[in-house]
Amino acid sequence: ASRLRLSGLCFLLQILNILLFAVFARYSPESSSSLCFPQLNCSRRNQDSGFQHPRFRDIHLQVLLGFGLLVAFLGRYGPGSVAISILIVSFAIQWAILIQGFLYFFLNGKIYVGARSMISADFCTAAVLISTGAVLGRVNPVQMLLLTLLEVTLCSLNEYILLSLMGVSDSGRSLTVHIFGAYFGLVVSRILHQPHMDKRKREDQQDMGHQLDVFAVVGTIYLWTFWPSFISATTVHDSAEPWAVLNTYFSLVASTIATFILSPVLYEESTPRMVQIQDATLAGAAVMGMAGEMLVTPFGALIAGFLAGLICPLGFRFFSPVLHSRLKIQDTCGVHNVHGLPGILGALLGVLLTLLATADTFGDRLELVFPLVAQGSRTAADQAFLQLCALPLTLLLATLGGCLTGAVLKTKALRSPPDKGNLENTVLWEV
Protein backbone atom coordinates (compact mmCIF):
# COMPACT_ATOMS: atom_id res chain seq x y z
CA ALA A 1 0.00 0.00 0.00
CA SER A 2 2.83 2.41 0.79
CA ARG A 3 4.49 1.71 -2.53
CA LEU A 4 1.26 2.33 -4.42
CA ARG A 5 0.46 5.53 -2.50
CA LEU A 6 3.89 6.97 -3.21
CA SER A 7 3.83 5.84 -6.83
CA GLY A 8 0.37 7.28 -7.41
CA LEU A 9 1.20 10.63 -5.80
CA CYS A 10 4.42 10.93 -7.81
CA PHE A 11 2.49 10.18 -11.00
CA LEU A 12 -0.17 12.80 -10.30
CA LEU A 13 2.33 15.50 -9.32
CA GLN A 14 4.56 14.82 -12.31
CA ILE A 15 1.63 14.97 -14.73
CA LEU A 16 0.59 18.26 -13.11
CA ASN A 17 4.10 19.66 -13.57
CA ILE A 18 4.26 18.56 -17.19
CA LEU A 19 0.92 20.20 -17.99
CA LEU A 20 1.87 23.47 -16.26
CA PHE A 21 5.24 23.55 -18.01
CA ALA A 22 3.57 22.88 -21.34
CA VAL A 23 1.17 25.79 -20.88
CA PHE A 24 3.38 28.40 -19.20
CA ALA A 25 7.14 27.62 -19.33
CA ARG A 26 9.41 28.77 -22.14
CA TYR A 27 13.18 29.16 -22.35
CA SER A 28 14.40 32.67 -21.85
CA PRO A 29 15.99 34.34 -24.90
CA GLU A 30 19.54 35.67 -24.75
CA SER A 31 18.43 39.16 -23.72
CA SER A 32 17.08 37.77 -20.45
CA SER A 33 17.54 41.02 -18.57
CA SER A 34 14.78 42.63 -20.64
CA LEU A 35 12.36 39.96 -19.44
CA CYS A 36 13.11 40.45 -15.77
CA PHE A 37 11.04 42.56 -13.40
CA PRO A 38 12.79 45.62 -11.96
CA GLN A 39 12.64 44.22 -8.41
CA LEU A 40 15.02 41.43 -9.46
CA ASN A 41 17.68 44.07 -10.22
CA CYS A 42 18.66 42.17 -13.37
CA SER A 43 19.91 45.35 -15.00
CA ARG A 44 22.55 45.61 -12.28
CA ARG A 45 23.63 41.97 -12.48
CA ASN A 46 25.94 40.38 -15.00
CA GLN A 47 23.80 37.87 -16.91
CA ASP A 48 26.78 36.38 -18.77
CA SER A 49 26.25 32.64 -19.13
CA GLY A 50 29.93 32.18 -18.35
CA PHE A 51 29.09 33.13 -14.80
CA GLN A 52 25.81 31.26 -14.65
CA HIS A 53 26.70 27.76 -15.81
CA PRO A 54 29.59 27.02 -13.39
CA ARG A 55 27.61 28.62 -10.62
CA PHE A 56 24.54 26.54 -11.38
CA ARG A 57 26.65 23.39 -11.45
CA ASP A 58 28.20 24.15 -8.06
CA ILE A 59 24.88 25.01 -6.43
CA HIS A 60 23.14 21.96 -7.86
CA LEU A 61 25.92 19.67 -6.63
CA GLN A 62 25.69 21.34 -3.23
CA VAL A 63 21.95 20.74 -3.02
CA LEU A 64 21.96 17.21 -4.42
CA LEU A 65 25.12 15.73 -2.91
CA GLY A 66 25.97 18.04 -0.02
CA PHE A 67 22.56 18.02 1.64
CA GLY A 68 21.91 14.41 0.67
CA LEU A 69 25.03 13.18 2.42
CA LEU A 70 24.35 15.26 5.52
CA VAL A 71 21.71 12.77 6.66
CA ALA A 72 23.62 9.66 5.59
CA PHE A 73 25.46 9.47 8.91
CA LEU A 74 22.20 8.52 10.66
CA GLY A 75 22.41 4.75 11.02
CA ARG A 76 18.67 4.08 11.14
CA TYR A 77 17.45 6.77 8.71
CA GLY A 78 20.47 7.01 6.41
CA PRO A 79 19.63 4.81 3.39
CA GLY A 80 16.02 5.86 3.07
CA SER A 81 16.70 9.53 3.78
CA VAL A 82 19.26 9.77 0.96
CA ALA A 83 16.71 8.32 -1.45
CA ILE A 84 14.07 10.71 -0.15
CA SER A 85 16.49 13.63 -0.59
CA ILE A 86 16.86 12.79 -4.28
CA LEU A 87 13.07 12.53 -4.61
CA ILE A 88 12.62 15.91 -2.92
CA VAL A 89 15.20 17.58 -5.17
CA SER A 90 13.57 16.10 -8.28
CA PHE A 91 10.11 17.40 -7.43
CA ALA A 92 11.01 20.64 -5.61
CA ILE A 93 13.05 22.05 -8.50
CA GLN A 94 10.13 21.65 -10.91
CA TRP A 95 7.56 23.05 -8.51
CA ALA A 96 9.79 25.94 -7.39
CA ILE A 97 10.45 27.01 -10.99
CA LEU A 98 6.70 27.21 -11.55
CA ILE A 99 5.81 29.03 -8.30
CA GLN A 100 8.73 31.45 -8.49
CA GLY A 101 8.11 31.88 -12.18
CA PHE A 102 4.62 33.23 -11.54
CA LEU A 103 6.10 35.65 -8.98
CA TYR A 104 9.30 36.74 -10.73
CA PHE A 105 9.68 35.63 -14.33
CA PHE A 106 6.09 35.91 -15.60
CA LEU A 107 5.64 38.06 -18.69
CA ASN A 108 2.97 38.05 -21.41
CA GLY A 109 1.38 34.96 -19.91
CA LYS A 110 4.58 32.89 -19.93
CA ILE A 111 7.28 31.88 -17.44
CA TYR A 112 10.75 32.41 -18.92
CA VAL A 113 13.12 29.75 -17.59
CA GLY A 114 16.87 30.30 -17.46
CA ALA A 115 19.91 29.79 -15.26
CA ARG A 116 18.67 32.45 -12.84
CA SER A 117 15.34 30.69 -12.27
CA MET A 118 17.11 27.34 -11.81
CA ILE A 119 19.40 28.87 -9.16
CA SER A 120 16.38 30.33 -7.36
CA ALA A 121 14.73 26.90 -7.44
CA ASP A 122 17.83 25.32 -5.94
CA PHE A 123 17.74 27.84 -3.08
CA CYS A 124 14.14 26.91 -2.33
CA THR A 125 14.98 23.21 -2.54
CA ALA A 126 17.73 23.73 0.05
CA ALA A 127 15.18 25.16 2.50
CA VAL A 128 13.02 22.03 2.08
CA LEU A 129 16.01 19.73 2.64
CA ILE A 130 16.83 21.63 5.84
CA SER A 131 13.26 21.12 7.06
CA THR A 132 13.40 17.40 6.38
CA GLY A 133 16.32 17.14 8.80
CA ALA A 134 13.93 18.05 11.62
CA VAL A 135 11.24 15.51 10.75
CA LEU A 136 13.20 12.42 9.69
CA GLY A 137 11.78 9.37 11.38
CA ARG A 138 8.30 10.80 11.83
CA VAL A 139 7.15 11.17 8.23
CA ASN A 140 6.77 8.64 5.45
CA PRO A 141 7.71 9.36 1.80
CA VAL A 142 4.16 10.42 0.89
CA GLN A 143 4.09 12.94 3.74
CA MET A 144 7.55 14.18 2.75
CA LEU A 145 6.40 14.82 -0.80
CA LEU A 146 3.34 16.76 0.40
CA LEU A 147 5.58 18.72 2.79
CA THR A 148 7.73 19.67 -0.21
CA LEU A 149 4.66 20.78 -2.17
CA LEU A 150 3.47 23.11 0.61
CA GLU A 151 6.86 24.38 1.77
CA VAL A 152 8.07 25.33 -1.70
CA THR A 153 4.95 27.44 -2.14
CA LEU A 154 5.30 29.17 1.23
CA CYS A 155 9.07 29.58 0.93
CA SER A 156 8.66 31.26 -2.48
CA LEU A 157 6.03 33.57 -1.04
CA ASN A 158 8.29 34.50 1.88
CA GLU A 159 11.17 35.19 -0.49
CA TYR A 160 8.98 37.34 -2.72
CA ILE A 161 7.75 39.45 0.22
CA LEU A 162 11.25 39.96 1.63
CA LEU A 163 13.38 40.42 -1.47
CA SER A 164 10.96 42.05 -3.88
CA LEU A 165 8.34 43.91 -1.86
CA MET A 166 10.50 44.94 1.11
CA GLY A 167 13.82 45.21 -0.74
CA VAL A 168 15.73 43.22 1.88
CA SER A 169 19.31 42.25 1.04
CA ASP A 170 19.80 38.53 1.71
CA SER A 171 22.03 37.23 -1.06
CA GLY A 172 23.15 34.06 0.73
CA ARG A 173 19.65 33.38 2.11
CA SER A 174 20.14 33.44 5.89
CA LEU A 175 16.46 34.33 6.18
CA THR A 176 14.73 32.60 3.32
CA VAL A 177 16.69 29.32 3.40
CA HIS A 178 18.34 28.69 6.76
CA ILE A 179 15.90 30.35 9.18
CA PHE A 180 12.74 29.57 7.24
CA GLY A 181 13.72 25.97 6.55
CA ALA A 182 14.85 25.28 10.13
CA TYR A 183 11.85 26.69 11.96
CA PHE A 184 9.34 25.43 9.41
CA GLY A 185 10.68 21.93 10.00
CA LEU A 186 10.75 22.35 13.78
CA VAL A 187 7.10 23.42 13.90
CA VAL A 188 6.07 20.49 11.69
CA SER A 189 8.03 18.19 13.99
CA ARG A 190 6.19 19.60 17.00
CA ILE A 191 2.78 19.11 15.38
CA LEU A 192 3.67 15.51 14.49
CA HIS A 193 5.07 14.72 17.95
CA GLN A 194 4.26 11.22 19.18
CA PRO A 195 5.17 10.37 22.79
CA HIS A 196 5.77 6.70 22.03
CA MET A 197 8.58 7.69 19.65
CA ASP A 198 10.79 8.99 22.50
CA LYS A 199 12.19 5.55 23.28
CA ARG A 200 12.88 4.94 19.59
CA LYS A 201 14.77 8.24 19.40
CA ARG A 202 17.08 7.12 22.21
CA GLU A 203 17.74 3.92 20.28
CA ASP A 204 18.50 5.93 17.15
CA GLN A 205 21.13 7.98 18.98
CA GLN A 206 22.86 4.74 19.94
CA ASP A 207 22.64 3.58 16.33
CA MET A 208 25.04 6.21 15.02
CA GLY A 209 28.32 4.29 14.93
CA HIS A 210 31.73 5.79 14.25
CA GLN A 211 32.05 3.78 11.04
CA LEU A 212 29.23 5.87 9.55
CA ASP A 213 31.27 9.05 9.95
CA VAL A 214 32.69 8.42 6.47
CA PHE A 215 29.46 9.87 5.06
CA ALA A 216 29.92 12.97 7.22
CA VAL A 217 33.47 13.29 5.85
CA VAL A 218 32.25 13.31 2.25
CA GLY A 219 29.36 15.65 3.05
CA THR A 220 31.70 18.09 4.81
CA ILE A 221 34.10 18.14 1.87
CA TYR A 222 31.23 18.97 -0.46
CA LEU A 223 30.17 21.79 1.85
CA TRP A 224 33.64 23.29 1.88
CA THR A 225 33.97 22.99 -1.88
CA PHE A 226 30.62 24.30 -3.07
CA TRP A 227 29.09 26.44 -0.32
CA PRO A 228 31.02 29.62 -1.29
CA SER A 229 29.28 29.42 -4.69
CA PHE A 230 25.96 28.92 -2.88
CA ILE A 231 26.53 32.08 -0.80
CA SER A 232 27.68 34.20 -3.75
CA ALA A 233 25.16 32.94 -6.31
CA THR A 234 23.32 36.28 -6.58
CA THR A 235 26.41 38.47 -6.25
CA VAL A 236 27.70 37.75 -9.72
CA HIS A 237 29.14 41.18 -10.38
CA ASP A 238 32.92 41.12 -10.76
CA SER A 239 33.59 43.45 -7.85
CA ALA A 240 31.08 41.81 -5.51
CA GLU A 241 31.65 38.09 -5.88
CA PRO A 242 35.15 37.71 -4.36
CA TRP A 243 34.13 39.29 -1.05
CA ALA A 244 31.22 36.91 -0.53
CA VAL A 245 33.38 33.92 -1.41
CA LEU A 246 36.31 34.96 0.77
CA ASN A 247 34.10 35.89 3.72
CA THR A 248 32.52 32.43 3.53
CA TYR A 249 35.89 30.70 3.62
CA PHE A 250 37.03 32.83 6.56
CA SER A 251 33.83 31.97 8.41
CA LEU A 252 34.23 28.25 7.71
CA VAL A 253 37.77 28.08 9.07
CA ALA A 254 36.88 30.05 12.21
CA SER A 255 33.79 27.98 12.99
CA THR A 256 35.76 24.75 12.60
CA ILE A 257 38.48 25.95 15.00
CA ALA A 258 35.78 26.98 17.50
CA THR A 259 34.40 23.43 17.44
CA PHE A 260 37.82 21.96 18.20
CA ILE A 261 38.05 24.39 21.12
CA LEU A 262 34.64 23.78 22.65
CA SER A 263 33.84 20.11 21.96
CA PRO A 264 36.45 18.64 24.37
CA VAL A 265 35.08 20.95 27.07
CA LEU A 266 31.48 19.80 26.57
CA TYR A 267 32.08 16.12 25.80
CA GLU A 268 34.46 13.40 26.92
CA GLU A 269 36.16 12.93 23.56
CA SER A 270 39.53 14.63 23.18
CA THR A 271 38.72 15.72 19.61
CA PRO A 272 35.36 16.36 17.89
CA ARG A 273 33.68 13.65 15.88
CA MET A 274 33.43 14.22 12.16
CA VAL A 275 29.70 14.88 12.47
CA GLN A 276 30.44 17.80 14.82
CA ILE A 277 32.90 19.26 12.31
CA GLN A 278 30.22 18.90 9.66
CA ASP A 279 27.81 20.84 11.88
CA ALA A 280 30.42 23.56 12.41
CA THR A 281 30.83 23.87 8.64
CA LEU A 282 27.09 24.30 8.21
CA ALA A 283 26.92 26.88 11.00
CA GLY A 284 29.81 28.88 9.56
CA ALA A 285 28.09 28.97 6.18
CA ALA A 286 24.66 29.84 7.59
CA VAL A 287 25.97 32.88 9.45
CA MET A 288 27.33 34.30 6.17
CA GLY A 289 24.02 34.12 4.33
CA MET A 290 23.09 37.77 4.76
CA ALA A 291 26.41 39.26 5.80
CA GLY A 292 28.59 37.57 3.18
CA GLU A 293 28.54 40.44 0.70
CA MET A 294 28.31 43.15 3.42
CA LEU A 295 31.49 42.43 5.39
CA VAL A 296 34.27 44.71 4.24
CA THR A 297 37.06 43.24 6.42
CA PRO A 298 38.32 39.65 6.80
CA PHE A 299 38.44 39.77 10.61
CA GLY A 300 34.69 40.43 10.70
CA ALA A 301 34.05 37.13 8.91
CA LEU A 302 36.44 35.36 11.29
CA ILE A 303 34.57 36.74 14.31
CA ALA A 304 31.17 35.77 12.88
CA GLY A 305 32.32 32.26 12.02
CA PHE A 306 33.93 31.81 15.42
CA LEU A 307 30.71 32.80 17.19
CA ALA A 308 28.67 30.43 15.00
CA GLY A 309 31.13 27.64 15.77
CA LEU A 310 30.60 28.25 19.49
CA ILE A 311 26.80 28.49 19.25
CA CYS A 312 26.43 25.16 17.43
CA PRO A 313 27.92 22.75 20.04
CA LEU A 314 26.41 24.80 22.88
CA GLY A 315 23.03 24.40 21.21
CA PHE A 316 23.42 20.63 20.97
CA ARG A 317 24.58 20.42 24.59
CA PHE A 318 22.02 22.70 26.24
CA PHE A 319 19.21 23.78 23.83
CA SER A 320 18.36 20.44 22.22
CA PRO A 321 17.42 18.72 25.53
CA VAL A 322 15.13 21.66 26.34
CA LEU A 323 13.47 21.50 22.93
CA HIS A 324 12.88 17.79 23.39
CA SER A 325 11.75 17.70 27.03
CA ARG A 326 9.88 20.98 27.40
CA LEU A 327 8.64 21.82 23.91
CA LYS A 328 8.29 18.23 22.67
CA ILE A 329 10.23 18.99 19.48
CA GLN A 330 12.21 16.04 18.13
CA ASP A 331 14.96 17.56 15.99
CA THR A 332 16.55 14.55 14.28
CA CYS A 333 19.47 16.32 12.61
CA GLY A 334 19.73 19.32 14.95
CA VAL A 335 18.68 21.90 12.36
CA HIS A 336 17.89 24.40 15.14
CA ASN A 337 21.54 24.49 16.20
CA VAL A 338 23.07 24.14 12.74
CA HIS A 339 20.81 26.38 10.64
CA GLY A 340 18.35 28.22 12.90
CA LEU A 341 20.58 29.85 15.54
CA PRO A 342 23.50 30.65 13.15
CA GLY A 343 20.97 32.01 10.65
CA ILE A 344 19.52 34.35 13.30
CA LEU A 345 23.05 35.44 14.24
CA GLY A 346 23.77 36.14 10.57
CA ALA A 347 20.56 38.14 10.19
CA LEU A 348 21.36 40.29 13.23
CA LEU A 349 24.89 40.79 11.97
CA GLY A 350 23.44 41.89 8.62
CA VAL A 351 21.26 44.48 10.41
CA LEU A 352 24.33 45.88 12.17
CA LEU A 353 26.33 46.06 8.94
CA THR A 354 23.40 47.74 7.19
CA LEU A 355 23.52 50.56 9.75
CA LEU A 356 27.16 51.11 8.75
CA ALA A 357 26.39 51.13 5.03
CA THR A 358 27.80 54.36 3.65
CA ALA A 359 29.56 55.33 0.46
CA ASP A 360 32.79 55.64 2.43
CA THR A 361 32.70 52.09 3.77
CA PHE A 362 31.19 50.30 0.74
CA GLY A 363 32.39 52.45 -2.15
CA ASP A 364 30.99 51.28 -5.50
CA ARG A 365 29.61 48.17 -3.79
CA LEU A 366 26.89 50.22 -2.12
CA GLU A 367 24.84 50.26 -5.33
CA LEU A 368 25.17 46.49 -5.67
CA VAL A 369 24.29 45.57 -2.09
CA PHE A 370 21.85 48.37 -1.20
CA PRO A 371 20.64 49.97 -4.45
CA LEU A 372 17.86 51.98 -2.79
CA VAL A 373 20.30 53.45 -0.26
CA ALA A 374 22.73 54.35 -3.04
CA GLN A 375 19.93 56.03 -5.01
CA GLY A 376 18.84 58.03 -1.97
CA SER A 377 15.39 56.43 -1.78
CA ARG A 378 16.19 55.08 1.70
CA THR A 379 18.57 55.90 4.48
CA ALA A 380 20.82 53.26 5.97
CA ALA A 381 18.67 53.31 9.12
CA ASP A 382 15.51 52.67 7.09
CA GLN A 383 17.16 49.75 5.31
CA ALA A 384 18.42 48.34 8.61
CA PHE A 385 14.92 48.56 10.10
CA LEU A 386 13.49 46.57 7.18
CA GLN A 387 16.31 44.03 7.50
CA LEU A 388 15.39 43.65 11.18
CA CYS A 389 11.65 43.37 10.48
CA ALA A 390 12.35 40.61 7.97
CA LEU A 391 13.51 38.30 10.79
CA PRO A 392 10.27 38.13 12.82
CA LEU A 393 8.25 38.09 9.59
CA THR A 394 10.17 35.04 8.38
CA LEU A 395 9.72 33.33 11.75
CA LEU A 396 5.99 34.10 11.65
CA LEU A 397 5.51 32.73 8.13
CA ALA A 398 7.61 29.65 8.96
CA THR A 399 5.55 29.02 12.11
CA LEU A 400 2.19 29.47 10.40
CA GLY A 401 3.28 27.43 7.41
CA GLY A 402 4.65 24.69 9.66
CA CYS A 403 1.39 24.54 11.60
CA LEU A 404 -0.65 24.27 8.40
CA THR A 405 1.65 21.63 6.91
CA GLY A 406 1.79 19.64 10.15
CA ALA A 407 -2.00 19.62 10.38
CA VAL A 408 -2.26 18.31 6.81
CA LEU A 409 0.37 15.62 7.37
CA LYS A 410 -1.27 14.53 10.61
CA THR A 411 -4.48 13.43 8.92
CA LYS A 412 -5.21 9.75 9.46
CA ALA A 413 -5.13 8.89 5.75
CA LEU A 414 -1.47 9.94 5.48
CA ARG A 415 -0.14 8.27 8.62
CA SER A 416 1.96 5.12 8.54
CA PRO A 417 0.80 1.98 10.33
CA PRO A 418 2.04 2.00 13.97
CA ASP A 419 4.01 -1.21 13.57
CA LYS A 420 6.20 0.40 10.94
CA GLY A 421 7.11 3.28 13.23
CA ASN A 422 6.96 5.80 10.37
CA LEU A 423 10.41 4.75 9.20
CA GLU A 424 9.52 2.93 5.97
CA ASN A 425 13.14 2.60 4.89
CA THR A 426 12.22 -0.78 3.42
CA VAL A 427 9.75 0.84 1.06
CA LEU A 428 12.51 2.50 -0.92
CA TRP A 429 15.71 0.85 0.20
CA GLU A 430 16.73 -2.62 1.25
CA VAL A 431 18.33 -2.25 4.69
Side-chain angles (χ1 to χ4, degrees):
S2 296
R3 289 188 180 93
L4 293 178
R5 283 196 303 168
L6 179 62
S7 176
L9 181 61
C10 288
F11 177 78
L12 292 176
L13 292 178
Q14 187 59 42
I15 293 299
L16 174 63
N17 281 331
I18 290 175
L19 293 176
L20 290 175
F21 269 85
V23 174
F24 295 106
R26 299 292 183 271
Y27 283 120
S28 176
E30 292 297 325
S31 57
S32 57
S33 59
S34 64
L35 297 173
C36 206
F37 285 154
Q39 57 262 37
L40 287 181
N41 300 322
C42 294
S43 60
R44 299 184 296 102
R45 303 297 191 184
N46 190 337
Q47 298 293 325
D48 185 2
S49 60
F51 282 92
Q52 294 294 342
H53 291 305
R55 194 174 307 276
F56 157 70
R57 176 199 61 204
D58 291 351
I59 294 172
H60 199 61
L61 283 171
Q62 164 75 9
V63 170
L64 186 63
L65 292 175
F67 281 99
L69 289 168
L70 294 184
V71 295
F73 73 91
L74 296 172
R76 183 181 296 273
Y77 305 134
S81 60
V82 174
I84 292 298
S85 296
I86 298 174
L87 173 64
I88 289 172
V89 170
S90 301
F91 172 69
I93 286 179
Q94 300 177 71
W95 189 243
I97 287 177
L98 289 170
I99 299 299
Q100 294 178 345
F102 287 119
L103 296 174
Y104 293 113
F105 305 102
F106 196 68
L107 187 66
N108 297 328
K110 301 296 179 183
I111 297 173
Y112 289 92
V113 179
R116 174 67 57 182
S117 54
M118 185 66 76
I119 289 175
S120 298
D122 276 326
F123 274 131
C124 194
T125 303
V128 178
L129 291 173
I130 291 172
S131 298
T132 60
V135 298
L136 279 176
R138 281 169 302 285
V139 293
N140 56 49
V142 172
Q143 290 173 311
M144 198 77 83
L145 205 55
L146 292 176
L147 181 147
T148 304
L149 175 72
L150 295 172
E151 185 173 0
V152 166
T153 305
L154 296 169
C155 180
S156 301
L157 178 62
N158 178 64
E159 181 180 293
Y160 177 73
I161 293 173
L162 265 57
L163 304 186
S164 296
L165 301 183
M166 296 176 61
V168 172
S169 178
D170 187 26
S171 62
R173 304 303 196 264
S174 278
L175 291 166
T176 58
V177 171
H178 294 285
I179 295 177
F180 186 91
Y183 289 99
F184 185 97
L186 290 172
V187 173
V188 173
S189 179
R190 175 63 185 88
I191 299 297
L192 298 178
H193 172 71
Q194 295 175 317
H196 68 272
M197 293 292 289
D198 291 349
K199 181 179 178 180
R200 186 180 296 275
K201 284 297 296 177
R202 289 193 291 270
E203 294 173 357
D204 296 339
Q205 292 172 358
Q206 298 172 359
D207 196 28
M208 293 163 56
H210 284 271
Q211 71 274 12
L212 295 171
D213 281 359
V214 63
F215 294 109
V217 173
V218 180
T220 304
I221 291 173
Y222 272 104
L223 295 177
W224 274 82
T225 304
F226 298 114
W227 205 292
S229 293
F230 190 89
I231 294 291
S232 63
T234 58
T235 59
V236 295
H237 193 279
D238 288 338
S239 64
E241 180 191 1
W243 286 16
V245 171
L246 293 174
N247 284 331
T248 304
Y249 277 120
F250 283 129
S251 179
L252 291 176
V253 297
S255 64
T256 303
I257 294 295
T259 298
F260 274 89
I261 294 172
L262 198 55
S263 289
V265 178
L266 300 176
Y267 303 98
E268 295 181 357
E269 293 91 346
S270 58
T271 57
R273 290 183 57 189
M274 196 63 213
V275 172
Q276 295 170 328
I277 300 173
Q278 172 185 277
D279 293 337
T281 305
L282 284 164
V287 77
M288 282 292 104
M290 181 182 292
E293 65 174 347
M294 299 181 188
L295 283 165
V296 296
T297 55
F299 79 88
L302 290 173
I303 293 174
F306 187 74
L307 291 176
L310 295 177
I311 287 176
C312 185
L314 287 173
F316 277 104
R317 184 68 176 83
F318 298 107
F319 292 160
S320 292
V322 174
L323 288 177
H324 183 72
S325 61
R326 300 290 179 85
L327 301 179
K328 307 302 181 184
I329 296 176
Q330 297 171 326
D331 187 2
T332 307
C333 293
V335 297
H336 178 252
N337 311 309
V338 174
H339 298 279
L341 293 177
I344 291 176
L345 176 63
L348 296 177
L349 177 61
V351 173
L352 176 61
L353 294 172
T354 304
L355 285 172
L356 306 176
T358 63
D360 294 333
T361 56
F362 276 72
D364 295 337
R365 291 173 54 86
L366 184 64
E367 185 179 358
L368 296 170
V369 182
F370 302 112
L372 297 178
V373 175
Q375 297 167 8
S377 302
R378 291 179 183 171
T379 64
D382 293 336
Q383 183 68 37
F385 177 74
L386 290 173
Q387 300 280 133
L388 181 61
C389 291
L391 176 57
L393 179 58
T394 298
L395 292 173
L396 176 63
L397 290 174
T399 302
L400 295 177
C403 289
L404 172 64
T405 303
V408 172
L409 301 185
K410 202 173 183 178
T411 56
K412 184 177 295 187
L414 297 176
R415 295 179 186 175
S416 296
D419 57 336
K420 289 190 176 182
N422 287 347
L423 297 179
E424 295 201 7
N425 258 335
T426 55
V427 174
L428 294 176
W429 207 281
E430 183 176 352
V431 182

